[in-house]
Amino acid sequence: MTTSVTPSSHAPGRSRASRAFLRDLDRPAEVFGNLGPNWYASIMGTGIVANAAAVVPLHVTGMRVFGTVVWVLASALLVALTAAWAVHWFWHPQVARGHAHNPVMGHFWGAPAMALMTVGAGTLSLGRDWIGLTAAVRVDAVLWTGGTLLGLVTAVWIPFLAMTEHEVREDSAFGGWLMPVVPPMVSAATGAALVPHAPAGQERLTLLLACYAMFGISLFTSLVIITQVWSRLVRHKLGPAAMVPTLWIVLGPLGQSVTAANALGSVARLALPEPYARGAEVFGVVYGVPTWGFAMMWLLLAASLTLRTARRHLPFTLTWWSFTFPVGTCVTGTCALALRLGSDAFDGASAVLYVLLLTAWATVAVRTLRGSFRGTLFLAPAPAATR
């Protein structure tokens, strides 16, 4: 398998190289010369910490305040990174356009869409305490619409490039293949919160049905890709260590689909007649519990493979953000099942998963800040790692 891997911040001589790199820049904007769409995963991972804090049943004083502060941080990151991305496109248009044609980086074009919707969802669930419900709905609607449109594009565009242009070998499948096809599932999950605010009648019904359609788009394509990832692991093993964290991305469509199925079921009665409204509620449980079970099995498998790799060497790269957002979707999915079923077991599981999410987020955020400050994460990609 051939992949471009962002260099480790602890590679020999990397600190000296980064200082030389920053000192030799002709223009400050050149620091963004290698800025890829994968950076938006940091916003996804930060935003899901905030969104999960709004629903997790942890009776801790200040939890909502904590979630709101993290949402503000995610919002600021979205603005700052988008501004940096604009600079990247202005100074390095060929590099920026070329990301989609890279067989690894191209798949991370799904991250910007999910970052938009994650921050939008936080605006409605947490930001409304600051800006009011009306403004929060408007902001969320804008971010959700932009993220949904971009996500629908990536769900077709990137697989099209993979089928017609990217060099794909038998051992090429990795968790990142899910990135461009998961955004419609995020649209389904976060769009459910907008259904009550849509005008009653055909507009509300159309929004609900669109969310269910996007649920299907992501679900079936994800099942195809997860099967390919499983097959690659069995036949060709783990591959480059830097790509191992992407195994956690599989949790994303699983946890988010459980969240979406139950969130849509909760608002179906506002648009669907009986018995379909009741059927939508039942579907959330009938689909959600078995899918949650598979997600937990995959979490244990991914954790075992990650620990096995870490004992040898697991270099820090931006793929470490795969430890955050996917786990966060499992938190929200577990919370949705707990609320639907009144289950203490799911309540407890959601709290454990949230602690895992917080630990992963704090670890990756600190490492990212350190790498950004030193300039190592802005260096040109290391030579391709070949398996």
Side-chain angles (χ1 to χ4, degrees):
M1 175 180 176
T2 302
T3 59
S4 288
V5 180
T6 305
S8 167
S9 59
H10 295 289
R14 183 62 66 188
S15 181
R16 292 191 298 274
S18 62
R19 288 196 295 270
F21 166 74
L22 295 171
R23 186 175 59 250
D24 294 340
L25 292 177
D26 293 329
R27 296 186 300 267
E30 289 183 3
V31 74
F32 303 121
N34 299 292
L35 194 67
N38 55 333
W39 276 87
Y40 278 88
S42 64
I43 300 172
M44 295 165 54
T46 302
I48 199 67
V49 170
N51 296 351
V55 296
V56 71
L58 280 176
H59 304 293
V60 178
T61 302
M63 177 63 77
R64 187 169 180 84
V65 174
F66 168 75
T68 303
V69 170
V70 176
W71 163 74
V72 171
L73 175 60
S75 302
L77 285 172
L78 179 62
V79 173
L81 186 55
T82 301
W85 185 254
V87 172
H88 177 53
W89 273 85
F90 181 80
W91 289 107
H92 308 278
Q94 293 182 338
V95 175
R97 288 193 297 266
H99 290 315
H101 303 283
N102 184 295
V104 172
M105 185 65 73
H107 294 281
F108 288 93
W109 260 106
M114 290 186 279
L116 287 172
M117 291 183 284
T118 302
V119 171
T123 304
L124 186 54
S125 63
L126 296 165
R128 66 183 182 182
D129 295 345
W130 287 18
I131 65 177
L133 179 60
T134 300
V137 170
R138 290 175 179 172
V139 171
D140 186 22
V142 170
L143 294 177
W144 182 85
T145 301
T148 295
L149 292 176
L150 179 57
L152 290 173
V153 169
T154 65
V156 176
W157 175 39
I158 301 303
F160 174 82
L161 291 179
M163 296 173 184
T164 61
E165 179 183 312
H166 293 169
E167 181 182 350
V168 180
R169 302 173 57 175
E170 289 186 359
D171 60 349
S172 292
F174 76 112
W177 281 15
L178 290 163
M179 291 293 289
V181 301
V182 173
M185 187 65 78
V186 179
S187 294
T190 57
L194 289 171
V195 169
H197 303 286
Q202 287 298 313
E203 290 186 40
R204 184 177 293 175
L205 176 62
T206 300
L207 176 58
L208 180 68
L209 295 178
C211 287
Y212 270 113
M214 289 186 287
F215 177 96
I217 290 172
S218 188
L219 175 63
F220 293 113
T221 51
S222 294
L223 290 176
V224 171
I225 294 171
I226 292 171
T227 301
Q228 292 176 305
V229 172
W230 185 292
S231 176
R232 195 269 293 174
L233 288 171
V234 172
R235 299 178 60 193
H236 302 284
K237 311 312 174 189
L238 289 177
M243 303 302 286
V244 170
T246 65
L247 294 175
W248 292 71
I249 297 176
V250 171
L251 295 173
L254 298 175
Q256 197 70 288
S257 66
V258 176
T259 305
N262 284 277
L264 292 171
S266 296
V267 298
R269 57 182 173 77
L270 301 177
L272 292 177
E274 294 295 350
Y276 305 109
R278 181 58 179 166
E281 289 187 273
V282 173
F283 174 74
V285 174
V286 173
Y287 169 83
V289 175
T291 303
W292 182 89
F294 178 68
M296 293 305 100
M297 185 277 285
W298 188 275
L299 188 152
L300 293 175
L301 180 61
S304 300
L305 294 173
T306 302
L307 290 173
R308 180 180 183 273
T309 303
R311 282 197 294 268
R312 299 176 180 180
H313 179 55
L314 183 61
F316 176 72
T317 72
L318 290 176
T319 59
W320 278 37
W321 282 100
S322 303
F323 298 139
T324 57
F325 185 82
V327 174
T329 67
C330 291
V331 176
T332 57
T334 306
C335 289
L337 289 173
L339 181 63
R340 172 72 62 195
L341 299 172
S343 168
D344 291 341
F346 278 122
D347 270 346
S350 66
V352 171
L353 288 169
Y354 191 66
V355 171
L356 175 62
L357 171 62
L358 283 178
T359 303
W361 175 68
T363 302
V364 180
V366 169
R367 298 291 294 272
T368 302
L369 284 173
R370 183 186 303 166
S372 299
F373 179 77
R374 293 176 176 175
T376 55
L377 292 179
F378 298 113
L379 291 170
T386 305
R387 178 185 178 276

